[in-house]
Amino acid sequence: MDIAIAVGDVRGPASAAEITSQIRTAADAGFSSAWASQAFGWDPLVLLTAAGAIPGIGLGTAVLPVPQRHPLVLAGQALSVQAATGNRLTLGIGAGIATMVETAFGLPGDRPVHRMREYLTVLKPLLRGETVDHHGDTITAVGAAHVPGATPPPVLLAALGPAMLRLAGELAEGTVTWMTGPKTLAGHIVPSITNAAAAAGRPAPRVVAGLLICVTDDEAAVRARVAGQFALAGQVPEYRAMLDREGMTGPGDLVIAGDEDKVARRLDRLRDAGVTEFMAAPYGTAEEQDRTTTVLAGMTSRRPNP
């Protein structure tokens, strides 16, 4: 299992210089990739392009909600990042949280699997440089995206429910999860997408699992802070279903927190669940995040692959 690092907004407000420092530290420490997410702050594709001058580390989005990005637009953006960064991008996309899609953007959030299937059938050819002429139920797309020097990035699909996981196994190169624990990964996420990929004759999928993490001597205090700060996430139906599967009350129960030995044991559980890449999101003060990053960096060179 590779160990990657989340950068940007998920770790708290940060300037361009601070995020560049996060990525440079991750590259120097030997982390496999740096992942940026989309909320209402930094645009992750712009952020990763700016970080492209830092060598030796993969770059990924985890994730880009696609309802507000037409596939012709996203294909051009993703291929531009590829060309600018030496083809190091993994494009993680998702349907978005339904309530946010509908409330913040005024876009339809119904039938997410149906919409995503159509989106992927348009996006994947565009990323290969092909011309599309698609007039579908939810998307019209006519044209192509050509960026010299860019190769098609692998596409990972954020998937939690059974139908979206089947779609990810069929049409994507893997999945990215957030706030999903080892029990749910082992018993639901990994077998569902793996079986779907096998049924479609595709290679074994990548499974990138993202969780908050804090190496600390005061685990109870960290869990209490996370429970308060991320309380709303625990009420979102998509994440609530995963917490219920895990048998946990809220995000405070799910954060990886504790001393070095306890954190290492939690990472072992993720590896044993079938996770191929752990996306660590260091949590807390600058000092707590620095300690966590240092401990994780020490694991990157000695953690065995399954």
Side-chain angles (χ1 to χ4, degrees), residues 258-303:
D259 62 19
E260 287 82 351
D261 289 340
K262 187 166 189 177
V263 165
R265 290 195 298 272
R266 289 289 301 277
L267 264 62
D268 285 340
R269 287 192 65 194
L270 293 175
R271 180 201 63 204
D272 294 343
V275 170
T276 61
E277 186 171 349
F278 169 52
M279 181 179 66
Y283 174 81
T285 65
E287 292 76 15
E288 288 171 324
Q289 291 193 30
D290 286 346
R291 179 183 177 185
T292 299
T293 301
T294 299
V295 170
L296 289 170
M299 297 178 181
T300 59
S301 61
R302 66 174 185 264
R303 183 164 296 278

Side-chain angles (χ1 to χ4, degrees), residues 5 18 23 41 65-66 75 78 87-88 91 117 132 134 140 149 156 175 187 194 208 213 235 257 268 291:
I5 204 83
E18 289 168 332
I23 298 174
V66 299
N87 293 305
R88 286 184 282 150
L91 184 62
R117 175 176 291 278
V132 300
H134 180 89
T140 295
L156 305 185
T175 189
T194 301
V208 179
I213 182 168
Q235 301 171 26
D268 285 340
R291 179 183 177 185

Side-chain angles (χ1 to χ4, degrees), residues 88-237:
R88 286 184 282 150
L89 177 68
T90 294
L91 184 62
I93 64 173
I97 301 300
T99 53
M100 183 179 294
V101 170
E102 294 169 345
T103 303
F105 296 102
L107 297 170
D110 64 320
R111 301 183 297 163
V113 177
H114 174 75
R115 292 179 183 279
M116 183 58 74
R117 175 176 291 278
E118 188 170 1
Y119 194 100
L120 284 170
T121 60
V122 174
L123 178 66
K124 295 296 288 292
L126 288 170
L127 292 175
R128 295 192 296 266
E130 300 172 15
T131 299
V132 300
D133 186 354
H134 180 89
H135 303 266
D137 184 31
T138 65
I139 294 172
T140 295
V142 180
H146 296 299
V147 179
T151 61
V155 176
L156 305 185
L157 176 61
L160 297 174
M164 195 70 83
L165 283 163
R166 287 193 296 271
L167 179 61
E170 180 185 346
L171 295 183
E173 280 69 56
T175 189
V176 184
T177 66
W178 178 246
M179 288 197 180
T180 304
K183 175 183 174 183
T184 303
L185 286 159
H188 169 56
I189 301 291
V190 173
S192 296
I193 189 172
T194 301
N195 291 339
R202 294 174 59 82
R206 292 170 61 182
V207 178
V208 179
L211 288 167
L212 296 170
I213 182 168
C214 183
V215 179
T216 178
D217 298 320
D218 194 347
E219 178 182 341
V222 168
R223 293 192 183 281
R225 276 187 280 153
V226 170
Q229 187 175 346
F230 290 87
L232 184 60
Q235 301 171 26
V236 171

